[in-house]
Amino acid sequence: MPLDRLSFHGLRNLGALEMAPGPHINLITGPNGSGKTSLLEGIHVLGMARSFRTQKLKALIDHDADEVTLFGRLAGDPPLPVGVRRRRDGTELELRVNGERAARITQLAEALPLQLINPDAFRLLEGSPAARREFLDWGVFHAEREFLDSWKRVRRALKHRNALLRHDRIDVQSIHVWERELAHWSERLDGLRASYMTRFLPVFEETLAALLPLPDLTLRYSRGWDRQRALLEVFEAGRDTDRQMGFTQQGPQRADLRIRVGRHPAVEVLSRGQQKLVVSAMKLAQGRLLEQLTGGTCLYLIDDLPAELDGDHRRIFCQWLERLNCQVFITSVDRAALADVWQPQTDVVASKLAGGRLHSE
Ligand SMILES: Nc1ncnc2c1ncn2[C@@H]1O[C@H](COP(=O)(O)OP(=O)(O)OP(=O)(O)O)[C@@H](O)[C@H]1O
């Protein structure tokens, strides 16, 4: 469901911002520092309860305000309101879904699945496996009802095993109990991830071929432990070395996506622009798959679309965004950077940010 209303108060330099976004492409332009990224950041917080550029939500609060309140309404019958509030003097984040206090961030995520593509997108290839696991788990979370429970059980069992490893003497009976629990739920989690990847790969390959043909690029799921062995055996055999390290070295907490061009890691051979297109293809493929599997749609936040892309790739990328049945927020300093290469076939709601206010264009 698209957002049909946004109301932000106390968000960085945006003051009081009201917006009635269109259901499809929303283009926001404005000079440097006008607040374009802040606007996307506000939407991101509504769906994920966290920013994409800072760990501390306090940094989002306007220096002259005591709190930031973000409100969005998802169109539907009935519409679904979602909200987030962070006070300067409080530590607790207040989340609201459908008028009620929400206890879990996943309630927001379920209501508002979103993907971000920004100039830092290449970090998905370059950064730590944690970023790629998060990417993978986003897809599995939205596709498989069972995912969240399995994931929480893995986290809990892992925490207990790691705590026992740090004792002076290993309590063999207790650690065995947690290893069995951990092995059971890890195999479940791995099964869900692997089956998601089987469905994801063809959609990704098709999307990538349209954005940037790279026939030698391969994307492979790595589960996080030696495939030849049952995980319980891996834990039992690895107790001594895990103890020396102080944590469990193998398991689904080490899963990764291996992205290569021929025999080389993609990040070592692709240009920044090519990396951005590969990551975009991954994120667009996840949105397309979400729609195929659940009928739901994903909202896209595209910050500084022209950055790193030449004219042809800007056009192809925009045409793909247009073809998706999704709500998209695109920011760009300059409208000409897109207008020169892309003549939209659908309605685009264009707004300009100036002096902390949005004006229709
Ligand atoms: N907590 C805050 N309170 C008030 N203003 C802030 C706060 N944090 C940042 N700012 C200001 O808000 C602006 C944030 O701009 P933002 O990054 O959203 O702009 P942008 O339009 O995306 O810029 P660019 O085109 O350069 O990426 C900056 O001018 C910054 O000085």
Side-chain angles (χ1 to χ4, degrees):
M1 280 185 291
L3 287 161
D4 67 0
R5 215 190 121 198
L6 287 171
S7 176
F8 295 165
H9 289 88
L11 175 62
R12 293 197 193 266
N13 65 335
L14 288 179
L17 181 129
E18 301 288 334
M19 183 179 186
H24 197 191
I25 307 270
N26 293 275
L27 175 61
I28 297 125
T29 53
N32 294 133
S34 57
K36 303 179 296 298
T37 305
S38 305
L39 174 64
L40 299 193
E41 208 177 358
I43 302 172
H44 193 272
V45 175
L46 274 180
M48 312 275 259
R50 63 180 165 78
S51 161
F52 51 81
R53 62 174 167 185
T54 169
Q55 302 266 334
K56 297 183 201 140
L57 281 186
K58 235 183 197 178
L60 268 68
I61 305 173
D62 179 341
H63 294 144
D64 297 326
D66 293 327
E67 62 178 32
V68 54
T69 56
L70 307 168
F71 169 83
R73 190 177 66 182
L74 289 150
D77 190 15
L80 181 68
V82 288
V84 174
R85 174 155 71 163
R86 175 73 162 88
R87 289 178 212 268
R88 190 178 289 288
D89 59 5
T91 48
E92 207 188 330
L93 191 64
E94 195 181 314
L95 313 177
R96 298 191 87 83
V97 175
N98 209 11
E100 308 217 337
R101 194 82 182 243
R104 288 173 288 110
I105 292 172
T106 47
Q107 290 173 263
L108 282 183
E110 263 165 12
L112 186 53
L114 55 84
Q115 290 279 0
L116 167 78
I117 299 173
N118 68 358
D120 280 344
F122 64 89
R123 290 198 197 285
L124 189 59
L125 303 185
E126 189 186 80
S128 72
R132 290 181 289 280
R133 271 196 303 279
E134 194 185 315
F135 168 84
L136 167 63
D137 286 345
W138 183 98
V140 193
F141 166 77
H142 285 289
E144 302 277 0
R145 288 230 150 264
E146 259 189 79
F147 167 80
L148 193 58
D149 184 47
S150 306
W151 185 81
K152 280 186 185 164
R153 287 174 189 269
V154 165
R155 292 248 311 208
R156 181 163 167 264
L158 190 61
K159 204 170 124 203
H160 282 280
R161 184 176 189 267
N162 284 344
L164 287 166
L165 286 172
R166 292 185 199 118
H167 286 181
D168 290 341
R169 278 188 51 238
I170 289 190
D171 173 349
V172 176
Q173 245 180 346
S174 303
I175 204 162
H176 186 66
V177 170
W178 285 112
E179 282 172 352
R180 279 183 48 187
E181 173 87 359
L182 182 56
H184 173 78
W185 289 106
S186 297
E187 302 270 9
R188 284 281 271 273
L189 181 60
D190 171 59
L192 296 174
R193 283 172 170 169
S195 96
Y196 177 79
M197 284 308 292
T198 309
R199 290 176 289 185
F200 172 76
L201 281 173
V203 185
F204 166 67
E205 280 159 15
E206 190 189 83
T207 313
L208 183 68
L211 285 185
L212 175 78
L214 274 177
D216 288 348
L217 186 133
T218 53
L219 195 158
R220 192 174 64 78
Y221 165 61
S222 155
R223 74 201 317 208
W225 71 92
D226 179 358
R227 282 194 169 269
Q228 310 307 318
R229 300 172 75 185
L231 190 53
L232 188 55
E233 257 176 66
V234 172
F235 291 145
E236 284 167 356
R239 256 180 224 160
D240 286 344
T241 44
D242 284 356
R243 196 157 169 235
Q244 281 160 22
M245 299 297 287
F247 61 91
T248 306
Q249 293 173 83
Q250 294 195 64
Q253 75 283 6
R254 302 297 295 272
D256 199 356
L257 298 176
R258 302 265 154 79
I259 306 158
R260 299 185 155 260
V261 177
R263 286 181 298 118
H264 308 282
V267 71
E268 286 177 11
V269 284
L270 298 181
S271 72
R272 273 290 148 85
Q274 288 176 317
Q275 290 179 37
K276 179 167 173 172
L277 288 165
V278 170
V279 171
S280 300
M282 289 169 70
K283 296 195 171 193
L284 294 177
Q286 277 206 324
R288 292 177 64 205
L289 187 58
L290 177 85
E291 195 180 346
Q292 283 174 23
L293 296 177
T294 69
T297 57
C298 168
L299 183 153
Y300 281 94
L301 304 173
I302 320 283
D303 197 15
D304 198 0
L305 186 142
E308 323 260 21
L309 300 183
D310 60 39
D312 277 349
H313 285 112
R314 258 179 258 164
R315 177 177 44 77
I316 296 168
F317 189 21
C318 289
Q319 286 170 342
W320 258 84
L321 291 173
E322 251 192 300
R323 257 186 258 143
L324 290 176
N325 180 28
C326 286
Q327 189 173 36
V328 186
F329 292 80
I330 300 173
T331 71
S332 171
V333 173
D334 185 5
R335 200 166 169 188
L338 296 178
D340 285 353
V341 293
W342 171 49
Q343 283 74 47
Q345 305 298 306
T346 50
D347 281 348
V348 171
V349 176
S351 323
K352 192 169 178 89
L353 256 177
R357 308 228 156 268
L358 266 181
H359 307 273
S360 307
E361 278 218 297

